Amino acid sequence: MKLQQLRYLLAIVDSGLNITAAAGRLYTSQPGVSKQIKLLEEELGVQLFSRKGKSLDRITPAGQEILERASTIMREVQNIAGVAQNHQKEQRGRLSIGTTHTQARYVLPSVIHEFRSRYPNVVLELHQGTSEQIAEMVTGRKIDFAIATDSQHLFDELFLLPCYRWDRSVIVPANHPLANNAQRPTLTQLAAYPLLTYVFSSDGTSSLKQAFEEQDLTPNVVFTARDADVIKTYVRMGLGVGIVASMAEDCEEGGGLVAFDGKGLFPRCTTWIGFQRDTVLRNYIHDFVELFAPHLTTDLTRTAAKASDQEAVDALLEGITLPLRGGISKLSAGAPIAHSRRLRESFQAVDYPG
Amino acid sequence: MKLQQLRYLLAIVDSGLNITAAAGRLYTSQPGVSKQIKLLEEELGVQLFSRKGKSLDRITPAGQEILERASTIMREVQNIAGVAQNHQKEQRGRLSIGTTHTQARYVLPSVIHEFRSRYPNVVLELHQGTSEQIAEMVTGRKIDFAIATDSQHLFDELFLLPCYRWDRSVIVPANHPLANNAQRPTLTQLAAYPLLTYVFSSDGTSSLKQAFEEQDLTPNVVFTARDADVIKTYVRMGLGVGIVASMAEDCEEGGGLVAFDGKGLFPRCTTWIGFQRDTVLRNYIHDFVELFAPHLTTDLTRTAAKASDQEAVDALLEGITLPLRGGISKLSAGAPIAHSRRLRESFQAVDYPG
DNA sequence: CGCGTTTACGTCGTTCGTAACGATA
DNA sequence: TATCGTTACGAACGACGTAAACGCG
């Protein structure tokens, strides 16, 4: 038995039982992969795949069990490499982050600036995408971790560490009727105007929609985007009232928009960071996490990584107060993290793309 | 990184950082081992060992972490082989059992007879030894499992499944003063005679001794052996009164000895079977276990093997009644297993070699 | 006939064992 | 000087890639 054979096995399954595709992904020849699998089957004395003609049809029960164990073996191999890296003096390597637009545009720049000066030899990759795309990237181990907001249901296999909380803001053009309001508009007032906001997650649930519906109102959403800047552009053009993350609003510099704090109008959102379970995180990853969320110390994250389930992770965070983020520079003590214990359950319906 | 390199690493540590010895154990040349370790260090970019001159002095912290992961990798490799074997039609292989004399001599023969007829192609190895020796064999993976009585403190790394309980018997020669007793002797009476019994475990605690001491008596043990047959021989010679497992007494066929049931006189003993955690057990092992202890079904053992600690294992057995064994053929319903929950704790002082 | 797998074969890299060398106590 | 680890080198093995054959839709 060789590590390559196990790697080939995983790649074949990952490629939908297509050996040619697996070979391509492995940057090697197809007959080589084919032969190694055959050798492995011969050595073990069991068929790993059932064949239909010459093609692989499906994986056998034995193959399935072996696949899972092969997977943990390859994970441990990765971990050995990670441990080794962590013991090197000079921290080199790669850090791949998957996140959504709001984080990438408004929150991460300052973190990344500091990170780059600390680790000039770490290549940084920022993958922006939808929650669904990020979920796929991280479970497929294309990225080291995900930063996202709510939508925990997409990240069942990860362990999630809450980083901070934030509210939405309501933005209108300076010449909008609501712009002269002394106080911020109510949901009833907002329901009277066309709304521009983030794309709702594919499963259709949305904490924003729910906030309206709880008051028997139906929001008239005429435009959605993943991108607060795009939304603001169209708000300026007079298409309607924008509802965006407060962090995005804070960036505004006299661009002809008036903003109201949406605190209390809509459910508060929680942004978290999510890792694969059972992986060794390199030192610079711990550092990045702590830069992003100071309460997530290396020790705490390391302990959390060993936790068996999300319950245990949440228990570790019991009593910690999450920052409330209004913008890049404004941090104020915020809501206690108490609700994080049931973070996954209680916020399943909330999938506001952060 | 190659599996061989990890195997070499483990062997070196197992051999006390002696590469030559490791090479011998691996049936390969010493320079080969040396080179592979060097290659591994080069690939990982860390020293696995700190050298004193050319000799290995000790393992580095990085090496220690890597060692542990290498260990789980090799375990999973073994498990893959085991899974593969379990999916073969013809069950071939090897079954290595470590146990003490009483089990090997009085309890296992019938089990092994049946097992051999079911699995003629499985090579059976029975390793007899002291509890300490067995503990070392099973943690070093020289044997598949251990069968022993009490002395749980020696087997911390294993998970233990209780199999049956038994009492001791008092044996005297037919011409002994006690032989004509209508009732069995009391502890006070026994304390008046020289006693012959099993060797006490090395840590000095003994449930037998304790039973006497609780009544402020001091037993006069003049002879100890690991072997009931040896004890009986010397009892026949008139050296004193023997105290052995009832299973051993039941074998007697008019050999000039008189036996009294020791039930109630001494604490009852529990014989268990212990496995390494996180290992896949081959089908025939499950079958052996069920032959030995019918309440330990394959499903139950498999579930127990996944349990994270002994507490969880014991919880699985809650409510099951353990057989009480008086001899090879005599099985009677016995004490409820309730105490098994705290098996490890409450019986730490009991280390009667079964 | 295209797609995908297997078989065949030549090449190259790696591992292994022997032998000689080096260092340490 | 004995023990243990490293270096050097030649032989054997194994993996890989190209090319061709095979089976299936």
Side-chain angles (χ1 to χ4, degrees):
Chain A
M1 192 182 319
K2 287 167 199 120
L3 285 177
Q4 249 148 346
Q5 296 173 327
L6 301 182
R7 193 183 332 245
Y8 287 3
L9 171 64
L10 290 168
I12 289 175
V13 175
D14 258 18
S15 310
L17 305 193
N18 181 325
I19 295 184
T20 306
R25 177 185 303 201
L26 293 162
Y27 303 106
T28 185
S29 71
Q30 178 274 323
V33 177
S34 202
K35 181 160 201 176
Q36 290 306 317
I37 291 297
K38 218 178 158 189
L39 282 174
L40 181 59
E41 286 182 325
E42 202 171 310
E43 179 183 342
L44 294 176
V46 285
Q47 293 275 106
L48 297 172
F49 301 102
S50 64
R51 268 81 166 175
K52 186 182 251 175
K54 285 198 169 183
S55 293
L56 305 189
D57 183 31
R58 54 202 177 83
I59 193 164
T60 61
Q64 184 61 40
E65 282 186 64
I66 288 165
L67 177 74
E68 284 156 24
R69 301 193 178 273
S71 165
T72 81
I73 286 175
M74 293 317 297
R75 188 175 62 228
E76 286 302 318
V77 168
Q78 285 299 99
N79 284 344
I80 284 178
V83 166
Q85 268 198 39
N86 280 349
H87 284 271
Q88 314 231 5
K89 279 189 187 161
E90 201 185 7
Q91 291 283 305
R92 302 186 157 278
R94 176 180 305 269
L95 175 60
S96 299
I97 306 169
T99 188
T100 49
H101 176 265
T102 308
Q103 308 303 321
R105 169 76 176 75
Y106 299 104
V107 186
L108 289 178
S110 63
V111 175
I112 284 175
H113 181 263
E114 171 64 18
F115 182 85
R116 288 200 46 132
S117 77
R118 283 199 203 179
Y119 298 102
N121 293 316
V122 173
V123 177
L124 220 134
E125 292 178 1
L126 201 60
H127 295 270
Q128 188 187 323
T130 66
S131 297
E132 286 85 352
Q133 289 167 336
I134 296 167
E136 195 184 323
M137 282 191 281
V138 73
T139 52
R141 298 186 183 263
K142 305 286 180 209
I143 56 178
D144 292 308
F145 57 82
I147 303 177
T149 300
D150 298 328
S151 58
Q152 284 80 4
H153 58 289
L154 290 173
F155 298 85
D156 261 346
E157 296 171 27
L158 308 189
F159 68 95
L160 308 182
L161 299 171
C163 297
Y164 68 89
R165 313 199 65 198
W166 49 272
D167 287 302
R168 295 168 174 89
S169 287
V170 177
I171 53 176
V172 294
N175 60 356
H176 192 276
L178 288 177
N180 299 321
N181 269 28
Q183 301 193 343
R184 69 142 184 250
T186 62
L187 285 183
T188 313
Q189 287 178 295
L190 289 177
Y193 295 96
L195 300 179
L196 294 80
T197 190
Y198 298 111
V199 178
F200 299 142
S201 224
S202 54
D203 63 1
T205 61
S206 156
S207 67
L208 192 82
K209 231 183 202 168
Q210 282 193 333
F212 281 99
E213 284 167 359
E214 275 175 16
Q215 299 194 16
D216 287 324
L217 298 168
T218 307
N220 175 27
V221 177
V222 297
F223 180 99
T224 62
R226 306 233 168 248
D227 184 328
D229 292 325
V230 173
I231 293 174
K232 285 190 284 188
T233 301
Y234 286 89
V235 168
R236 275 194 209 93
M237 288 168 57
L239 261 71
V241 177
I243 301 172
V244 297
S246 331
M247 294 88 77
E249 169 259 308
D250 273 10
C251 269
E252 207 56 31
E253 293 167 356
L257 293 177
V258 174
F260 297 97
D261 188 354
K263 175 177 168 181
L265 271 186
F266 310 106
R268 185 164 280 174
C269 295
T270 302
T271 293
W272 45 259
I273 193 163
F275 300 92
Q276 284 270 13
R277 296 186 189 283
D278 298 318
T279 54
V280 166
L281 303 176
R282 273 137 297 159
N283 293 334
Y284 55 77
I285 295 188
H286 283 295
D287 237 26
F288 185 97
V289 171
E290 199 166 343
L291 279 175
F292 184 65
H295 62 286
L296 298 178
T297 59
T298 299
D299 275 356
L300 193 134
T301 306
R302 223 189 280 277
T303 311
K306 291 176 192 156
S308 53
D309 58 1
Q310 186 64 32
E311 291 279 324
V313 172
D314 291 340
L316 284 174
L317 294 159
E318 197 74 39
I320 292 179
T321 300
L322 279 186
L324 180 67
R325 196 182 276 264
I328 290 171
S329 54
K330 275 197 267 172
L331 280 180
S332 57
I337 205 173
H339 93 282
S340 139
R341 212 190 207 319
R342 279 168 299 278
L343 190 70
R344 198 183 291 275
E345 295 81 359
S346 61
F347 277 76
Q348 281 216 350
V350 184
D351 52 358
Y352 193 70
Chain B
M1 192 183 316
K2 287 168 199 123
L3 286 177
Q4 250 148 346
Q5 296 173 328
L6 302 181
R7 199 189 322 268
Y8 287 5
L9 171 63
L10 290 168
I12 289 175
V13 175
D14 258 19
S15 311
L17 306 193
N18 182 325
I19 296 185
T20 306
R25 178 185 303 201
L26 293 162
Y27 302 105
T28 185
S29 71
Q30 178 273 325
V33 176
S34 200
K35 182 160 202 175
Q36 289 307 315
I37 291 298
K38 217 178 160 190
L39 282 174
L40 180 59
E41 286 183 325
E42 202 171 310
E43 178 184 343
L44 294 177
V46 287
Q47 292 274 104
L48 298 171
F49 301 101
S50 64
R51 269 81 167 174
K52 185 183 252 176
K54 285 198 169 181
S55 292
L56 304 189
D57 183 32
R58 53 203 176 84
I59 193 165
T60 62
Q64 184 60 40
E65 281 186 65
I66 288 165
L67 178 73
E68 283 155 23
R69 302 195 177 273
S71 164
T72 82
I73 287 175
M74 293 316 298
R75 189 176 60 229
E76 285 302 316
V77 168
Q78 284 299 100
N79 284 344
I80 285 179
V83 166
Q85 269 199 37
N86 281 348
H87 284 271
Q88 314 232 7
K89 279 188 187 161
E90 200 186 6
Q91 292 283 306
R92 301 185 157 277
R94 176 181 305 268
L95 174 60
S96 300
I97 306 168
T99 188
T100 49
H101 176 265
T102 308
Q103 308 302 321
R105 169 75 176 77
Y106 300 104
V107 186
L108 289 179
S110 63
V111 175
I112 284 175
H113 182 264
E114 171 63 18
F115 181 84
R116 288 199 46 132
S117 77
R118 285 200 200 176
Y119 299 100
N121 294 316
V122 173
V123 177
L124 219 134
E125 292 178 0
L126 200 60
H127 295 270
Q128 186 188 323
T130 66
S131 298
E132 286 85 354
Q133 288 168 336
I134 295 166
E136 195 184 323
M137 283 192 280
V138 73
T139 52
R141 299 188 182 263
K142 305 287 180 208
I143 56 177
D144 292 308
F145 56 82
I147 303 178
T149 300
D150 299 326
S151 58
Q152 285 81 4
H153 59 288
L154 289 174
F155 298 85
D156 262 344
E157 297 171 28
L158 309 188
F159 68 94
L160 308 181
L161 300 172
C163 297
Y164 68 89
R165 312 199 66 199
W166 50 271
D167 287 302
R168 295 168 174 90
S169 287
V170 176
I171 52 176
V172 294
N175 59 356
H176 193 277
L178 288 176
N180 300 322
N181 269 28
Q183 300 193 346
R184 71 145 181 244
T186 63
L187 284 183
T188 313
Q189 287 180 294
L190 288 176
Y193 294 96
L195 301 179
L196 293 79
T197 189
Y198 298 112
V199 178
F200 300 141
S201 226
S202 54
D203 63 359
T205 61
S206 156
S207 67
L208 192 82
K209 232 182 202 168
Q210 282 192 331
F212 281 98
E213 283 167 359
E214 275 174 17
Q215 299 194 16
D216 287 323
L217 298 168
T218 306
N220 175 27
V221 177
V222 297
F223 180 98
T224 62
R226 306 233 170 249
D227 184 327
D229 292 324
V230 172
I231 294 174
K232 285 189 285 188
T233 302
Y234 286 88
V235 168
R236 271 192 213 97
M237 287 168 58
L239 260 71
V241 177
I243 302 173
V244 298
S246 332
M247 294 89 78
E249 170 259 308
D250 273 12
C251 268
E252 208 55 31
E253 291 166 357
L257 293 178
V258 175
F260 298 97
D261 189 353
K263 176 176 170 183
L265 270 187
F266 310 107
R268 187 166 279 173
C269 295
T270 303
T271 293
W272 44 258
I273 192 163
F275 300 93
Q276 282 272 11
R277 297 185 188 284
D278 299 319
T279 54
V280 167
L281 302 176
R282 274 138 296 159
N283 293 334
Y284 55 76
I285 294 188
H286 283 295
D287 236 28
F288 185 97
V289 171
E290 199 167 343
L291 279 175
F292 184 65
H295 61 285
L296 298 178
T297 60
T298 299
D299 275 356
L300 192 128
T301 306
R302 222 189 281 278
T303 311
K306 292 176 192 156
S308 52
D309 58 1
Q310 185 65 30
E311 291 278 323
V313 172
D314 291 338
L316 284 173
L317 294 159
E318 196 74 40
I320 292 179
T321 299
L322 280 185
L324 180 67
R325 195 181 277 263
I328 290 169
S329 54
K330 274 196 265 172
L331 281 178
S332 58
I337 204 172
H339 92 281
S340 140
R341 209 189 209 317
R342 278 169 300 277
L343 190 68
R344 199 183 289 276
E345 297 80 0
S346 61
F347 277 78
Q348 282 215 352
V350 183
D351 52 357
Y352 193 71

